[in-house]
Amino acid sequence: MEVRDQSALRREQADGQSGRPAGRAPKVGLLVTCLVDLFRPSVGFAAVKLLEDAGCEVVVPRQTCCGQPAWNAGDRATTEALAKAMIEAFEGCDYVVGPSGSCTGMMRLHYQELFKDDADWALRAHHLSRRTHELVSFLTDIMGVEKVDAAYQGTVTYHDSCAGLREMGVKAQPRKLLAGVEGLKLAELPEAEVCCGFGGTFCVKYPEISTKMVSDKAGNIQSTGADMLLAGDMGCLMNMAGRLQRLGSTVKVRHVAEVLAGDLSAPPIGESEEKK
Amino acid sequence: MKSTAHAFKDNAHRAMQDPQLTRALNKFKTGFPMKRAQAVAALPEFEALRDVGKAIKDHTLAHLDLYLETFERNVRAAGGHVHWARTAEEARSIIRGICKAKNARLVTKGKSMVSEEIGLNASLQEDGLEVVETDLGEYILQIRNEAPSHIIAPALHLSKEQVADDFRRVHTDLPADRRLSEPNDLLTEARVRLRNKFLQADVGITGANFLIAETGSTVIVTNEGNGDLTQSLPKTHIVLTSIEKVVPTLEDASTLLRLLARSATGQEFTSYTTFSTGPKRADDIDGPENYHVVLLDNGRSALLGTEMQEVLRCIRCGACMNHCPVYHAVGGHAYGWVYPGPIGSVIDPAILGVKEAGHLPNASTFCGRCESVCPVRIPLPKLMRHWREKEFEANLQPKAMRYGIGVWGWFAKRPALYAAAANIGLRAMAAVGKRRGRFKALPLAGGWTDTRDFPAPRGPPSRNSTGAAAMAEQSNAARDGVLGAIRKAASHLRDEAAARAAVEQRLSAHARNLLPARGQIPHAERVELFIRMAQAVAASVERVPERSRIPQIVADYLSVHNLPARLRAAPDPELQSLDWSGLPTLEVAFGRGEPEDQATITLAIAGIAETGTLFGASGNDAGPTLSFLPGTHIVVLPVDRVVGSYEEAWDLLRQRQAAKGLGMPRAVNFITGPSRTADIEQTSLVHVHGPGRLHILLVDSAADAPPQGS
Ligand code: SF4
């Protein structure tokens, strides 16, 4: 796996801030994320189940967006306003956990950079950063979950979403938990660490390049023979699902949390109720 | 080079329609990352070396003025000239002036991206000079009148059939029905053709991968050996380079060299790494009589002290583009200027302006793969984001984008409204989505407008006076300009006395940064490692129980390889003292290498176990004509000179030079295997411009000679 400079992560692990509070269920603020909220609430419910099964108290503070679209568009003012709102929203929680490496990466790494010239907010961003985790890695690394109670009869393949992989160090954790899902076989995806071409506004600014990238990804997915594609970020999943379906593929696409939570009641991403 | 960066989208569209380019990129996108991954896995210290590499560059950039002055002083002390150029135009006019003063007609060139940056070839051709690119890939592009599509693999986009067609079109003196179907046919034809150019050139121009402040050396790294022939055969050598390439010491360069090849091509070390310092010395058998270094700024000093400063750490390895999915989709030409891929997306706006090159930092998914492999840990996505901020501030982004972000931002700042709006959307979508399951477009995608034309900013190069006095005056002004700009950026950040002390300390300490454990082993094992590593890069190694046997062994080697019994030997007392007279059929001539020589023999100063590298220097025991002209190069290496690391070799050299009362030799060569290339369809071939065979005679001292047959 390729390793990005993860000094922020390493520092945090060194100062032990990620340890569980003793004596009571940790209070986890669920970062729902815009795409889950808008397109796939089932992922939010799956996250709640997984966190509660792991012994957490889950709260959902009123929230909007982590600000990443503005940040990546070069709009600092809007990003700051959104970041401040998110920092305030989650200040009462022991942890902030979200089913997205991209949004949690924004809060964990980029808020600190955003506020580097503003001492007060930098400190608050730092406190938030230390408590922010991507869902699956939180379950294994912080809550010590070894195995989930779920079953899936079939072969899945897994795409490593860029921010989760390179910003949040998510690689082994989902594979570890998937290995414990009854009946599930994992067929590794060739070039699993290569971007699917979503990239937020990239896919609408440079649709042709994005399409080429996601077509290559679709080819790799189909080459595995898996019947289902999993990943940890809705943006990537919608992008890949959209392309697979346009190409007439029957590969089902889901967020990894849905499989780990054992709740496949929502139709796969991009498929209709009837077809299910 | 004229930019078409503003037309990135059209360029990309065309590129993706090109089946040959797609084929080449498909091979490239898995091949290069795989080779890098293997090289990194083979060196446990690699991640730590990246931290050290970053620190070396950061330290140097914080003291850039001081190191450049030190570099300049040391080039002059070695008998070379330093010229400062604030702009591309100044650099062109300096080089034109030198060529004019030397009455040059033919100029050979080693690979240099800076020369692409300043559009050097065209300006020299305007003066009536013949300019010949000698890197195989660059040569192919030159006859096609095309720009490089990659900074280290310039012709990666072409097929061997395309190259064969070009050779037939241009090399019209050769039989039309000759075979050109295999990469090796093409290579051979290019070698023969370029050989005469090397020999006839009046001026050789190379770039530099590093500049060494401590010694005033310039460093080039090649696999083909073309850079060495370019710089050592003509009377005049011009190094065209840029200010951020300087590092303090030989040790610092050694650390960065460990990162460079592994990141670039996945090699442990490139075939040839050469440190050049000044012109030919009194006892050198070969080398140029004039040595010039042109130091280009061209927008770099303006990045110092800004959030963009980190990009000046770049060592131009190309790893970021080798791993970039956007580069893999569109190739290098689509970027529209000299530097493609992630590094181009950060540098090109700095040099061309964000208005011209604004697409490039936008055409990224921020997947972060570039940053994850950058040997000096440049946060490329972050720097691209800075360009987007500049664009946003300058209101340069397309209207729909600003409007979309604006509306979304206004809602997103208001949680209750946002929730309501999202729910409206969700409900509306659910109604359709229940039935269809999917939509044809994402939010914000509609109404997306794109292309706008930007005026190309550059005019033709103007003609400057090139008289010597005018040049000197211009150079002084340029020197003050460049150093002044650097100091202005640094002045509020540092205490001058402390900065000078830190620089002095670093230059004199020769601190070893981080030696790979691999070579730090007992001598016998180190010798074994040297042999293994040398063989891994296709050198052959023969153990010689004692010196006196060398003539016989050489004679046998030539005969086994069907080579004529003729040998050109370095005129070194040690080689001359061997008894060659016992072999009447072997013709031995001592002196510099000549074009007709098929086999030569030289002495190495050291062998470096960590990469199986030979370490030698120009003088009377070796020299570029002996090491690079023949097809077969035999090197004598006493076994007790096998050291673990590059740094230990530098110590040996320093001792040797001090004993002779000399400074840095004109050329120091690291030779790792035979000459090679992968410029044609990424196929690995040996024997480009340098030797196809490298044979090492590892001579045991009498005491530890191995038993016969071992
Ligand atoms: S930015 Fe980094 S990876 Fe890219 S060429 Fe420069 S040093 Fe290499």
Side-chain angles (χ1 to χ4, degrees), chain A residues 70-90:
Chain A
W71 180 236
N72 286 346
D75 180 354
R76 271 188 109 96
T78 301
T79 314
E80 273 182 30
L82 294 173
K84 286 177 179 172
M86 289 298 253
I87 290 171
E88 277 167 351
F90 285 94

Side-chain angles (χ1 to χ4, degrees), chain A residues 4 38 64 166 205-206 208, chain B residues 9 13 359 371 412 426:
Chain A
R4 189 168 180 169
L38 285 166
T64 61
R166 299 193 183 88
K205 281 192 288 183
Y206 300 95
E208 201 181 354
Chain B
K9 272 192 141 177
H13 171 76
H359 261 304
E371 181 180 357
L426 195 62

Side-chain angles (χ1 to χ4, degrees), chain B residues 642-662:
Chain B
V642 175
V643 297
S645 62
Y646 311 138
E647 287 80 349
E648 290 156 79
W650 289 124
D651 282 352
L652 278 183
L653 181 76
R654 286 191 183 110
Q655 284 160 21
R656 183 185 106 136
Q657 297 300 98
K660 294 184 185 173
L662 298 172

Side-chain angles (χ1 to χ4, degrees), chain A residues 4 31 33 65-76 78-84 86-87 96 100-115 125 128-129 132-134 163-164 167-168 233, chain B residues 366 385 389 408:
Chain A
R4 189 168 180 169
L31 173 69
T33 84
C65 172
C66 67
Q68 196 186 62
W71 180 236
N72 286 346
D75 180 354
R76 271 188 109 96
T78 301
T79 314
E80 273 182 30
L82 294 173
K84 286 177 179 172
M86 289 298 253
I87 290 171
V96 183
S100 159
S102 171
C103 308
T104 54
M106 177 71 196
M107 295 174 69
R108 182 162 187 162
L109 301 174
H110 297 271
Y111 281 10
Q112 303 204 64
E113 193 199 324
L114 177 67
F115 291 118
L128 178 83
S129 163
T132 302
H133 297 270
E134 181 278 335
E167 293 191 336
M168 302 300 282
D233 252 296
Chain B
F366 286 165
R385 191 180 322 101
E389 280 170 11
W408 162 84

Side-chain angles (χ1 to χ4, degrees), chain A residues 98-145:
Chain A
S100 159
S102 171
C103 308
T104 54
M106 177 71 196
M107 295 174 69
R108 182 162 187 162
L109 301 174
H110 297 271
Y111 281 10
Q112 303 204 64
E113 193 199 324
L114 177 67
F115 291 118
K116 68 180 190 302
D117 299 326
D118 180 339
D120 289 351
W121 280 101
L123 188 66
R124 291 172 79 173
H126 177 64
H127 286 311
L128 178 83
S129 163
R130 296 192 305 187
R131 295 179 288 121
T132 302
H133 297 270
E134 181 278 335
L135 173 68
V136 181
S137 56
F138 176 77
L139 293 172
T140 58
D141 301 352
I142 306 300
M143 298 308 295
V145 174

Side-chain angles (χ1 to χ4, degrees), chain B residues 483-544:
Chain B
L483 287 172
I486 296 171
R487 288 204 186 100
K488 213 168 123 207
S491 61
H492 62 286
L493 296 168
R494 71 182 191 200
D495 163 349
E496 279 311 305
R500 278 177 194 277
V503 165
E504 283 308 310
Q505 210 280 337
R506 182 144 193 141
L507 287 171
S508 58
H510 299 140
R512 294 171 174 186
N513 298 303
L514 192 168
L515 299 192
R518 180 199 281 181
Q520 306 306 301
I521 47 179
H523 187 256
E525 288 170 41
R526 201 180 268 177
V527 172
E528 290 309 315
L529 177 65
F530 173 81
I531 295 171
R532 230 177 23 250
M533 297 305 288
Q535 288 170 341
V537 289
S540 51
V541 184
E542 187 169 353
R543 296 203 72 156
V544 178

